[in-house]
């Protein structure tokens, strides 16, 4: 059933939450429906304060990126060395569980979760740079699977090291840029978890 307006005799509706207001209770201010005026400068200060508070909560624990990088490096290393599936599969499974635990810990610590929709222009560029590195090292580590020849140990270790360092360095760059963008309003606020 559609509501086309206030019930007869109840007065105008508040447009924000459709609560009937008594037209006789309006005050002499310009505020709608009997509410007191909210100073625009105070409103902007509140928005700014809320953005700063959210940005301050989004400080990733120091161990998050190293742990994520180590998991990714381990998965890439066993693939690049063309180790038997009895080794690859458990490493991939433990890695997936580890990433799930990291995400859960991050959400528990911050109470928030960030995804691509929250990134601003600068943090998105850092994230895309990280994604390119991960794709390149992942595709490179899959060469043994496609050719049945393991990469030399030095090359496998180099791929793992690149993944580890890129996750730590670029992950922190994404975080720093995102916090700055949230404070300035250039990025959307993340959702509560």
């Amino acid at each position: 059933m559609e509501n086309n307006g206030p019930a007869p005799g109840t007065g105008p509706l508040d447009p924000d939450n459709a609560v009937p207001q008594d037209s006789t209770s309006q005050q002499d201010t310009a505020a709608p429906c009997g509410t007191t005026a909210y100073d625009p400068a105070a409103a902007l200060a509140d928005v700014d304060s809320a953005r700063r508070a959210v940005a301050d909560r989004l400080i990733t624990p120091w161990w998050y990126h190293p742990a994520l990088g180590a998991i990714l490096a381990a998965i890439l290393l066993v693939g690049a060395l063309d180790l038997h599936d009895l080794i690859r599969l458990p490493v991939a499974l433990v890695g997936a569980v580890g990433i799930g635990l990291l995400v859960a810990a991050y959400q528990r610590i911050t109470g928030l979760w960030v995804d691509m929709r929250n990134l601003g222009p600068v943090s998105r560029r850092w994230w895309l740079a990280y994604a390119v590195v991960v794709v390149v090292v992942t595709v490179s580590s899959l060469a043994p699977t496609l050719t049945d020849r393991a990469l030399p140990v030095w090359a496998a270790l180099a791929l793992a090291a690149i993944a580890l360092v890129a996750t730590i360095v670029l992950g922190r760059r994404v975080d720093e840029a995102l916090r700055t963008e949230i404070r300035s309003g250039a990025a959307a606020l993340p959702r509560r978890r």
Side-chain angles (χ1 to χ4, degrees), residues 81-173:
L81 291 174
D82 198 28
L83 299 178
H84 195 275
D85 285 346
L86 290 175
I87 296 172
R88 275 196 227 184
L89 293 176
V91 168
L93 181 61
V94 168
V97 169
I99 290 171
L101 292 172
L102 281 174
V103 167
Y106 180 87
Q107 290 175 345
R108 187 178 61 253
I109 290 168
T110 65
L112 302 167
W113 182 245
V114 176
D115 59 33
M116 288 296 293
R117 295 172 289 188
N118 303 107
L119 298 179
V122 175
S123 57
R124 186 178 311 272
R125 282 194 295 272
W126 281 116
W127 187 90
L128 288 173
Y130 174 63
V132 166
V133 171
V134 169
V135 167
V136 168
V137 295
T138 301
V139 168
S140 299
S141 75
L142 292 175
T145 302
L146 302 173
T147 63
D148 283 335
R149 293 187 60 190
L151 292 177
V153 173
W154 67 266
L157 289 172
L159 290 174
I162 290 168
L164 175 64
V165 171
T167 301
I168 294 169
V169 172
L170 296 176
R172 289 181 177 161
R173 293 285 186 161

